[in-house]
Amino acid sequence: MSHASMPGVSSPQIGRDTTRAARLNATALPAKDPAVCPTDDEAQVPRKPPKNKRSLDYVWRSGVAGGLAGCAAKTVVAPLDRVKILFQSHNPHFIKYTGSWLGVSEAMKAIYQQDGPTGLFRGHSATLLRIFPYAAIKFLAYEQIRAIVIPNKEHETPFRRLISGSLAGVTSVFFTYPLEVIRVRLAFETKKDSRSSLRSICKQIYGEQQKPRTVAGPVGEPLPVVPARHGLTNFYRGFSPTLLGMLPYAGMSFLTHDTAGDLLRYPKIAKWTTLPQPENAPAGKAAPLRSWAELFAGGVAGLVSQTASYPLEVIRRRMQVGGAVGDGHRMRIGETAGIIMRERGLRGFFVGLTIGYAKVVPLVAASFYTYERLKTWFGI
């Protein structure tokens, strides 16, 4: 029986009862349906806003992370680095060891017997003095240049990644190259009776007199002479091939690492290759890779970049030690390449490449691994 057919109940009273019941029901029911699963309310979890890469806070954090990453990586491979420099620079005491892995171990054994364990790290203090600002500037410059060249995901292409890495490498080497020359000269020394200090090496490089050279002039006129250069310019021996070599090395290194990281974060394999996103991670930051995956990405980056830039690296080493061997005149890229070609042919441009692989793969892997972990620790 309906309320309308009940005797003694008016229609207005029925309307008021219906309204009251509706209000009670509205109060009893929740404002929205409960979440089907916990992730439905994920948007309510406060997330750290994206970091402003141009802020002072981001700059110093990324710079310190990059510098420490470079120092850690260089320390891991310091013994191999010294042997490679001796091979590349055609040191007369170590020519007999070149060409095989057995020669590498024999060279390390000879250094150990002559100088002890510290001999394997000769020049390493200069390496650390150089590598901290070098790596700090390189990683910092990459983050800043990348933010300009790749402002968002739509602009992220392999070419833009390559350009960002190349410019970052050129920027870092421009400011730190003199320290690289000092390091190479310290590592090149094999004298038993005395050891040059950092100060004496700097004075020696600064004071080296380079012979003047003549250039072709008009027929019938005396040949003009290019005056000898000395002083601060000596600290930039081999700078031109360094810049040329840095373009493929740094560019391919960052490009390969970032591309490998994207592949390792592919959704179908991400559960095996990535870690949970830290609570302090900025919004939009990719999930961190597991240790083995990060080391793998860095190792592949080192392998590719080393192959692309090695011939120019050999030329650069020979130019850097030009004041310590030969007649002391400043050698140009073409002249140095010609000497290497006459000595050993095309193989001469790949002397020490096996050491290069053994050194660069763990070097780059450790560098990127340390940098990415420090970025996570710093919350950037």
Side-chain angles (χ1 to χ4, degrees):
M1 181 179 295
S2 66
H3 286 285
S5 61
M6 292 176 63
V9 180
S10 64
S11 295
Q13 180 65 35
I14 294 173
R16 285 193 293 271
D17 292 342
T18 304
T19 303
R20 188 180 299 110
R23 289 175 180 172
L24 290 173
N25 288 337
T27 304
L29 292 175
K32 64 174 182 175
D33 293 335
V36 177
C37 67
T39 56
D40 287 351
D41 291 329
E42 223 172 22
Q44 296 182 4
V45 178
R47 298 291 296 168
K48 193 174 182 179
K51 280 279 187 180
N52 179 12
K53 291 190 175 183
R54 297 184 182 181
S55 66
L56 180 60
D57 181 67
Y58 190 97
V59 167
W60 81 259
R61 288 173 186 267
S62 60
V64 170
L68 293 177
C71 290
K74 273 293 187 180
T75 302
V76 170
V77 299
L80 278 172
D81 197 27
R82 181 166 189 215
V83 174
K84 190 183 80 165
I85 289 174
L86 292 171
F87 283 7
Q88 285 180 332
S89 55
H90 212 57
N91 188 289
H93 299 288
F94 287 84
I95 295 176
K96 58 185 177 181
Y97 299 120
T98 62
S100 68
W101 274 105
L102 184 60
V104 174
S105 61
E106 289 296 321
M108 295 182 70
K109 182 179 178 181
I111 295 172
Y112 184 85
Q113 290 176 344
Q114 177 177 316
D115 300 320
T118 57
L120 295 171
F121 290 86
R122 177 146 182 81
H124 189 55
S125 58
T127 298
L128 295 182
L129 288 175
R130 166 194 167 268
I131 200 62
F132 185 89
Y134 168 80
I137 294 172
K138 183 179 71 172
F139 282 107
L140 171 59
Y142 179 69
E143 297 286 0
Q144 298 298 314
I145 295 171
R146 178 186 167 90
I148 297 173
V149 177
I150 309 175
N152 50 53
K153 286 290 183 182
E154 288 72 21
H155 290 83
E156 191 155 6
T157 63
F159 178 74
R160 289 174 181 265
R161 283 177 170 177
L162 179 68
I163 291 298
S164 299
S166 297
L167 292 177
V170 169
T171 302
S172 61
V173 80
F174 177 79
F175 288 104
T176 61
Y177 189 79
L179 291 171
E180 166 70 359
V181 174
I182 296 170
R183 179 185 74 90
V184 171
R185 293 289 290 271
L186 283 170
F188 182 75
E189 282 195 349
T190 57
K191 295 181 295 183
K192 293 182 179 180
D193 53 344
S194 63
R195 292 288 182 268
S196 299
S197 64
L198 182 63
R199 181 179 179 182
S200 63
I201 281 287
C202 290
K203 290 178 65 176
Q204 179 183 337
I205 296 172
Y206 183 87
E208 287 171 354
Q209 295 289 332
Q210 300 157 29
K211 292 183 177 181
R213 58 186 177 87
T214 59
V215 296
V219 178
E221 295 185 10
L223 296 177
V225 178
V226 178
R229 291 180 293 177
H230 64 281
L232 293 178
T233 59
N234 289 345
F235 290 92
Y236 280 86
R237 289 179 181 267
F239 186 63
S240 298
T242 298
L243 288 181
L244 293 177
M246 185 55 65
L247 291 172
Y249 180 81
M252 292 302 297
S253 179
F254 281 107
L255 169 61
T256 306
H257 173 265
D258 290 355
T259 302
D262 290 345
L263 294 175
L264 290 168
R265 292 183 178 93
Y266 194 69
K268 290 186 177 180
I269 62 172
K271 64 180 180 180
W272 295 293
T273 60
T274 60
L275 296 169
Q277 192 69 276
E279 293 182 0
N280 67 335
K285 181 178 172 64
L289 294 173
R290 295 183 183 274
S291 295
W292 71 266
E294 185 62 63
L295 290 171
F296 176 78
V300 173
L303 188 68
V304 173
S305 59
Q306 179 75 352
T307 304
S309 63
Y310 197 80
L312 282 168
E313 184 178 349
V314 174
I315 295 174
R316 172 168 61 102
R317 297 298 190 200
R318 292 293 293 271
M319 293 178 71
Q320 286 174 337
V321 299
V325 296
D327 59 7
H329 80 281
R330 181 185 294 274
M331 295 189 297
R332 291 165 291 177
I333 295 177
E335 182 183 359
T336 307
I339 293 174
I340 296 172
M341 179 65 75
R342 288 193 298 270
E343 288 175 350
R344 306 193 63 170
L346 288 176
R347 292 182 58 188
F349 293 98
F350 295 93
V351 170
L353 181 58
T354 51
I355 309 177
Y357 284 142
K359 187 199 89 167
V360 170
V361 169
L363 170 72
V364 180
S367 180
F368 276 114
Y369 174 82
T370 307
Y371 180 64
E372 293 297 332
R373 288 297 184 266
L374 286 174
K375 281 178 66 179
T376 300
W377 190 59
F378 285 151
I380 59 175

